[in-house]
Amino acid sequence: MDLQLDKCTATAALSAEARQVHVYVLRTFAATGRAPSRADLRRVAADRGCDPAMVLTELAERDVVAVDARGELRAAYPFSPTPTAIQVTWDGGPTVYAMCAVDALGMSAMLDRPVTITATEPDTGNAVTVHVDGDRADWTPASAVVFAGATDDSCCPSVDRTCGAINFFTTSEAAGDWASRHPDVSGAVLDRATALAQAVAEFGAML
C-alpha cells in the first residue's frame, strides 16, 4: 500500500527554481530544527531570480510543503514546523519533529546519517523507539509496526489527509484497535521492513 511514494514523484517534477527553494527549506530544518519564515522563503526565491509567489504556489500544489493562510509553512515533509508525537534526533543535530511515522523513518536516508526516532503510540502514549541507519533499523519494542492510513478527502494536502493517520504502534493488534476506533480512516498495518523500505524510497533521494 504505497501511500507515500507520491512525494518522490512530486519532488522530481519540480521546476529547477522550486527545487532550489525546496532544498533550502529541508536544509534549514536539518540545521536548526525550525522552519524558515515566509520572509526567508521570499528572500531565497528572489535571490535565485524566481518569483516568490509562483515558487511557493508550485511547492504547495505539488504537496511537498503546505502553508497556512498567512503563507507560513505548516508542513515540509518529512519535517513538521510544530511539535508532533514523533521526535527525531542525531549526533550534533537539533531535535526535529516528523509529520508521520514513514517521514521519520526516511530521515536517515535523506540526511545520510544515523538517527533516533522517539514516538508515542496514539491514545495509549506507549513508547516506540527506532534507531535508523539508512535502510537498516533497530526497533523497540521488536513487535512495533506502522499503521499507514488516510482519510477519504483526496483533495486535501497530505498534512490534512494522511499525516495524522500514519503512526507507530507497539503491536499490530494495537494498530488494529486504533483503526477500529477511527472508521473515517482507511489503511493497513505495515511491518517494519515494508515501512522502512517505503520511507527510503520516498525520502532517500530528496536531498
Side-chain angles (χ1 to χ4, degrees):
M1 184 175 182
D2 292 343
L3 294 175
Q4 297 292 310
L5 296 182
D6 57 327
K7 289 292 180 295
C8 181
T9 302
T11 301
L14 291 173
S15 66
E17 295 81 5
R19 177 64 176 145
Q20 290 175 2
V21 176
H22 184 225
V23 168
Y24 165 77
V25 169
L26 298 179
R27 293 199 185 282
T28 299
F29 268 104
T32 69
R34 298 186 300 275
S37 68
R38 178 175 179 268
D40 291 332
L41 296 177
R42 293 182 64 85
R43 173 183 53 78
V44 168
D47 287 348
R48 286 158 174 76
C50 313
D51 180 280
M54 289 182 63
V55 167
L56 293 177
T57 297
E58 180 181 352
L59 292 173
E61 287 180 346
R62 292 289 185 186
D63 197 24
V64 297
V65 306
V67 297
D68 63 20
R70 300 171 299 161
E72 302 288 350
L73 289 174
R74 64 189 186 105
Y77 319 98
F79 299 110
S80 173
T82 56
T84 68
I86 306 172
Q87 291 186 352
V88 184
T89 58
W90 56 87
D91 286 347
T95 296
V96 299
Y97 294 93
M99 294 300 300
C100 74
V102 171
D103 289 32
L105 289 169
M107 283 192 195
S108 175
M110 185 184 77
L111 299 172
D112 194 26
R113 66 187 69 189
V115 306
T116 297
I117 301 166
T118 306
T120 55
E121 184 176 73
D123 296 346
T124 70
N126 292 331
V128 175
T129 303
V130 191
H131 300 285
V132 188
D133 188 357
D135 60 358
R136 302 185 302 276
D138 180 22
W139 299 63
T140 303
S143 57
V145 297
V146 169
F147 181 84
T151 67
D152 293 332
D153 196 350
S154 60
C155 67
C156 290
S158 297
V159 63
D160 300 316
R161 180 170 50 89
T162 64
C163 289
I166 304 177
N167 292 300
F168 291 101
F169 289 87
T170 52
T171 64
S172 57
E173 291 78 12
D177 289 344
W178 182 89
S180 69
R181 296 193 298 273
H182 296 82
D184 57 317
V185 175
S186 58
V189 176
L190 306 181
D191 62 37
R192 293 173 292 283
T194 299
L196 181 59
Q198 287 200 9
V200 171
E202 182 179 7
F203 293 105
M206 192 166 276
L207 281 177

